[in-house]
Amino acid sequence: MIIQTKYHGELEIDEKKIIHFEEGIPSFEDEKQFIILPLEDSPFLILQSVKTASLGFVLISPFEYFADYDVVLPDAAVKKLKIENENEVVVFTILTVHEPFENTTANLRAPIVVNTKAQLGKQVILNNDKYTTKHRIIKKSPASVGEEG
C-alpha cells in the first residue's frame, strides 16, 4: 500500500504493520489507522496517519529518557487493547518539539500504548499525578551553563 507521509514523502508500507486506534487519538478521533516509522538515524519515531499525510506525531520510548517512568494501565485499557501478555505491549510518548530543541517536552501523562500482537493502539490517560503533558527530555546540566567548547 502506498501512502503520503509528513516526513518521508510517498512511502510503500506493509498493511500488516498498520496499527488500529479504534477511538482515534484525542482531538483526532477520525484518525483510526497509523503506522510507526523511524526518523532517520535518531531515537525518534513518527506515528504517521495512514489517511492524512500532514498528521505525524514524533514519538520516543520514554524509558530511555525517564528511567523511573512507570506505566500502570487501567483495566479498561488492557481490555480495549486485548492485552494478554506484557511482552506484546510497547509504550511511546508523544513529543512537543520546540525551538531550541532542548525545550522539547514529552507527554508522560498520556502515553501511546500498542499491542504489537493485535496491532491495536490507544492513547491512555494515566491516573498518576506525578506525570504531566510537559516533561523536558533534555535536562539542563548546571555544569554546562556558560561552558564553551
Side-chain angles (χ1 to χ4, degrees):
M1 167 180 205
I2 303 218
I3 65 168
Q4 295 294 324
T5 69
K6 182 172 183 172
Y7 298 100
H8 299 84
E10 186 175 272
L11 196 63
E12 186 170 352
I13 62 166
D14 181 349
E15 290 184 52
K16 293 177 188 157
K17 293 187 177 183
I18 293 174
I19 301 163
H20 301 275
F21 286 73
E22 292 178 357
E23 301 167 355
I25 291 178
S27 299
F28 301 94
E29 287 80 7
D30 292 338
E31 300 287 340
K32 309 279 189 195
Q33 295 184 321
F34 290 85
I35 189 154
I36 295 176
L37 303 169
L39 187 59
E40 297 174 6
D41 237 1
S42 78
F44 308 112
L45 302 164
I46 302 299
L47 182 65
Q48 174 65 53
S49 165
V50 172
K51 179 174 97 172
T52 306
S54 62
L55 185 60
F57 299 100
V58 181
L59 304 177
I60 59 167
S61 169
F63 308 106
E64 293 177 27
Y65 293 83
F66 306 95
D68 62 343
Y69 188 50
D70 186 29
V71 177
V72 178
L73 295 177
D75 290 340
V78 171
K79 185 175 181 182
K80 181 86 64 183
L81 291 170
K82 301 178 182 172
I83 297 170
E84 298 171 357
N85 182 325
E86 68 181 43
N87 294 331
E88 59 195 35
V89 176
V90 182
V91 176
F92 302 101
T93 54
I94 294 177
L95 295 184
T96 302
V97 179
H98 294 282
E99 287 292 332
F101 188 78
E102 67 187 25
N103 293 333
T104 294
T105 58
N107 179 349
L108 298 184
R109 181 66 174 217
I112 298 291
V113 181
V114 177
N115 176 337
T116 57
K117 182 179 176 189
Q119 288 301 101
L120 292 173
K122 179 172 178 48
Q123 186 171 26
V124 178
I125 313 264
L126 299 180
N127 190 17
N128 186 334
D129 293 336
K130 175 172 140 180
Y131 302 125
T132 70
T133 60
K134 295 183 187 313
H135 291 265
R136 290 172 77 124
I137 65 168
I138 297 175
K139 309 288 190 270
K140 284 192 177 177
S141 163
S144 69
V145 176
E147 278 185 12
E148 293 186 21

